[in-house]
C-alpha cells in the first residue's frame, strides 16, 4: 500500500482520496495539452461531456496530442458550447479556424503570431453564414496595417461581432483609418473596440473622431426571407441586431495621442450623434490643453460619455481644475442632469489645488460616481477638502450623486486624512 508520510495522521490519505472521489464541485478548466491522448481516450472524454448535463467546463485544451479530426472537434463544441469559452484542440490558429466553422461565439488568439497570411486564413471561414462570433481577440498577434483591410472585410460579413480586441499590435494611423471606415459602414456590429498600445498617434485619433461623428446608418432591408447585403446572406435577426448597435466603448491607451488628437476626439464627443459611453486614453500625451477640450465635453448636460480615462497624461493641477470647471458648467441650464461619470486621473502629478477644484464640483452636485486619484501629489489638505465635499453630498437631497468608488493610494495624505476620507466614503455608500 502507499507509504504514510511521517507526521501525517493515519487515514488522512484515504480520507482525502474519498473526498476527491465524492466531491461534486464542478470542473471549470481541463488542460490535457501535449500528452499522449489517443482516439479511444478522446472518445471517452467526449462521451462524459455529452452526457454531463450539469457541465460547467469553461476552458478545454487538447492541443499537442494526435489529430482527432473535424468531426470530433464539432462534437466537442456542441457538447460544451453553453458554458465553455475557450477550446484549443489543435494549434491555436487552426483551432480558431475550426471554431469559426463550428459556429462558436468567441475566438481568442492572444499571443499567437498569425504570420504573413494568418489574417487571410482566419477571415476565410468567417464569411460562412454559420459564423456566430460575438468576440474576436487578436491581442499581440503582430497585426499590421496590411492586415486591416482583411479584418475590416470580416466585420462587414460577421454581423455578430460586438467586441474586437486588436491591442498590443503594430498598427499605425493607416490601420486606424481602415478601422474608422469600417465603423462608418452600414450595419457595422462593433460595440466595444480595443486598439490600445499601438502607434496610431494624432492622425489615427482624427480618424476615430470622424467615425464617432458619423455613426453607421441603419440597414433598410425588407423583412421576411433572408436578404443579400454586401455579397453576404444574412437573416432578419442578424440585420435587426446590427441595426441596434453602435460603438459604445473605445480604448486607445498608449497610442501616442497628443493635444491635437484629444481635441478631435473631444469635438466628436460633443456631436449630438455620438453615443460613446466609455473613452480610455490612458498613457498618452493629452496634457493640459487636451484636458480643457474634454472639459467642454463634460459641460454638455446631454453627453453620452459616462467613463473618461485620462490616467498618465501629464494633466497636473491645471488640467484637473479644467475638468472640474467643466463638471460645474454641466450642472447649469434647464436640461436634465447629466449622467453619472467615472473619472480616472491616476498618475497625473495632481496636487491639493486640483483636488480642491474637484471637491468644489462635488459639493455643487457634480455627478461623479467613481474617481481615481491614486499616485498623485495629494496631501492631507486636499484629502480633507474631498472628505468635506463627500460629507456635504451625503447630507444633501441627492444621495444618488455621491461617489461610490474613490482611490487615493500612492499619495502623501497622512494617516488622519486617510481615516477621514475612508469614513466619508463609507457613510456616503
Amino acid at each position: 500500500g502507499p507509504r504514510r508520510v511521517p507526521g501525517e495522521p493515519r487515514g488522512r490519505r484515504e480520507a482525502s482520496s474519498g473526498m476527491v472521489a465524492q466531491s461534486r464541485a464542478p470542473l471549470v478548466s481541463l488542460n490535457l495539452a501535449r500528452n499522449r491522448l489517443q482516439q479511444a481516450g478522446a472518445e471517452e472524454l467526449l462521451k462524459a461531456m455529452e452526457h454531463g448535463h450539469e457541465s460547467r467546463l469553461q476552458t478545454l485544451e487538447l492541443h499537442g496530442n494526435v489529430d482527432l479530426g473535424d468531426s470530433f472537434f464539432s462534437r466537442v463544441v456542441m457538447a460544451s458550447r453553453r458554458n465553455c469559452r475557450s477550446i484549443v484542440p489543435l494549434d491555436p490558429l487552426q483551432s480558431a479556424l475550426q471554431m469559426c466553422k463550428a459556429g462558436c461565439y468567441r475566438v481568442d488568439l492572444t499571443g499567437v503570431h498569425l504570420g504573413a497570411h494568418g489574417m487571410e486564413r482566419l477571415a476565410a471561414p468567417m464569411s460562412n453564414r454559420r459564423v456566430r462570433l460575438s468576440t474576436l481577440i487578436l491581442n499581440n498577434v503582430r497585426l499590421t496595417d496590411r492586415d486591416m483591410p482583411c479584418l475590416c472585410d470580416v466585420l462587414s460579413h460577421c454581423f455578430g461581432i460586438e467586441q474586437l480586441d486588436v491591442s498590443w499590435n503594430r498598427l499605425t494611423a493607416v490601420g486606424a483609418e481602415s478601422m474608422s471606415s469600417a465603423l462608418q459602414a452600414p450595419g457595422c456590429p462593433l460595440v466595444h473596440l480595443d486598439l490600445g498600445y499601438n502607434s496610431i498617434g494624432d492622425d489615427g485619433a482624427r480618424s476615430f473622431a470622424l467615425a464617432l461623428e458619423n455613426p453607421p446608418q441603419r440597414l433598410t432591408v425588407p423583412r421576411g426571407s433572408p436578404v443579400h447585403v454586401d455579397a453576404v446572406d444574412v437573416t432578419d435577426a442578424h440585420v435587426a441586431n446590427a441595426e441596434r448597435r453602435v460603438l459604445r466603448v473605445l480604448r486607445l491607451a498608449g497610442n501616442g495621442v497628443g493635444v491635437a488628437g484629444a481635441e478631435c476626439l473631444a469635438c466628436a464627443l460633443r456631436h449630438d450623434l455620438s453615443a460613446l459611453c466609455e473613452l480610455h486614453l490612458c498613457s498618452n500625451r493629452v496634457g493640459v490643453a487636451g484636458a480643457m477640450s474634454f472639459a467642454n465635453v463634460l459641460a454638455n448636460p446631454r453627453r453620452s460619455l459616462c467613463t473618461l480615462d485620462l490616467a498618465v497624461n501629464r494633466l497636473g493641477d491645471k488640467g484637473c481644475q479644467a475638468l472640474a470647471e467643466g463638471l460645474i458648467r454641466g450642472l447649469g441650464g434647464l436640461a436634465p442632469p447629466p449622467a453619472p461619470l467615472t473619472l480616472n486621473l491616476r498618475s497625473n502629478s495632481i496636487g491639493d489645488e486640483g483636488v480642491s477644484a474637484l471637491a468644489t464640483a462635488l459639493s455643487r452636485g457634480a455627478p461623479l460616481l467613481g474617481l481615481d486619484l491614486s499616485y498623485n501629489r495629494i496631501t492631507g489638505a486636499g484629502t480633507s477638502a474631498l472628505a468635506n465635499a463627500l460629507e456635504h453630498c451625503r447630507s444633501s437631497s441627492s444621495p444618488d450623486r455621491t461617489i461610490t468608488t474613490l482611490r487615493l493610494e500612492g499619495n502623501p495624505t497622512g494617516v488622519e486624512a486617510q481615516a477621514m476620507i475612508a469614513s466619508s466614503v463609507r457613510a456616503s455608500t
Side-chain angles (χ1 to χ4, degrees), residues 381-394:
T383 307
S384 299
L386 268 181
N388 293 333
L390 288 174
E391 181 65 24
H392 177 79
C393 291
R394 186 176 68 86

Side-chain angles (χ1 to χ4, degrees), residues 106-367:
R106 187 177 190 270
V107 170
D108 187 347
L109 285 170
T110 299
V112 177
H113 299 160
L114 297 183
H117 303 286
M119 193 63 235
E120 296 178 6
R121 290 178 59 198
L122 185 61
M126 291 186 183
S127 61
N128 191 313
R129 63 177 300 179
R130 292 183 60 194
V131 172
R132 297 293 184 269
L133 274 181
S134 63
T135 301
L136 179 59
I137 301 177
L138 300 175
N139 179 303
N140 189 24
V141 298
R142 297 185 181 179
L143 210 62
T144 66
D145 295 334
R146 289 176 295 181
D147 298 312
M148 293 307 289
C150 188
L151 179 58
C152 294
D153 186 60
V154 168
L155 295 178
S156 67
H157 286 78
C158 296
F159 285 89
I161 298 181
E162 297 182 359
Q163 181 174 347
L164 176 63
D165 183 350
V166 289
S167 57
W168 294 97
N169 282 293
R170 302 173 178 179
L171 304 178
T172 68
V174 177
E177 184 177 2
S178 299
M179 182 58 66
S180 173
S181 300
L183 289 172
Q184 298 174 65
C188 179
L190 280 184
V191 176
H192 183 146
L193 175 60
D194 189 346
L195 212 119
Y197 300 98
N198 284 279
S199 302
I200 67 170
D202 288 335
D203 290 337
R206 289 191 188 94
S207 297
F208 283 113
L210 184 63
L212 294 176
E213 292 177 350
N214 299 278
Q217 298 178 353
R218 293 170 62 91
L219 289 173
T220 54
V221 295
R223 300 298 177 185
S225 58
V227 293
H228 204 67
V229 180
D230 290 339
V232 181
D233 289 326
V234 292
T235 62
D236 286 343
H238 286 116
V239 174
N241 289 334
E243 286 179 350
R244 291 191 291 267
R245 294 177 193 149
V246 66
L247 190 65
R248 302 285 185 183
V249 180
L250 179 60
R251 298 179 180 271
L252 298 177
N255 266 287
V257 178
V259 175
E263 290 176 348
C264 291
L265 288 170
C267 183
L269 291 174
R270 295 198 302 269
H271 201 278
D272 290 339
L273 293 178
S274 174
L276 196 72
C277 297
E278 297 184 21
L279 178 61
H280 298 263
L281 287 172
C282 171
S283 302
N284 282 289
R285 301 192 299 268
V286 170
V288 176
M292 291 179 177
S293 298
F294 284 113
N296 294 327
V297 177
L298 302 183
N300 181 6
R302 296 184 298 175
R303 58 175 168 79
S304 61
L305 193 70
C306 57
T307 297
L308 179 60
D309 183 357
L310 294 177
V312 199
N313 268 287
R314 305 176 184 177
L315 302 186
D317 284 330
K318 292 184 178 180
C320 187
Q321 289 170 341
L323 294 172
E325 291 171 3
L327 287 169
I328 294 174
R329 282 187 284 139
L331 299 173
L334 302 177
L341 179 72
T342 297
L343 189 60
N344 187 351
L345 301 178
R346 173 177 54 86
S347 300
N348 271 297
S349 301
I350 296 172
D352 293 337
E353 293 183 8
V355 172
S356 298
L358 283 175
T360 301
L362 275 172
S363 61
R364 294 189 183 182

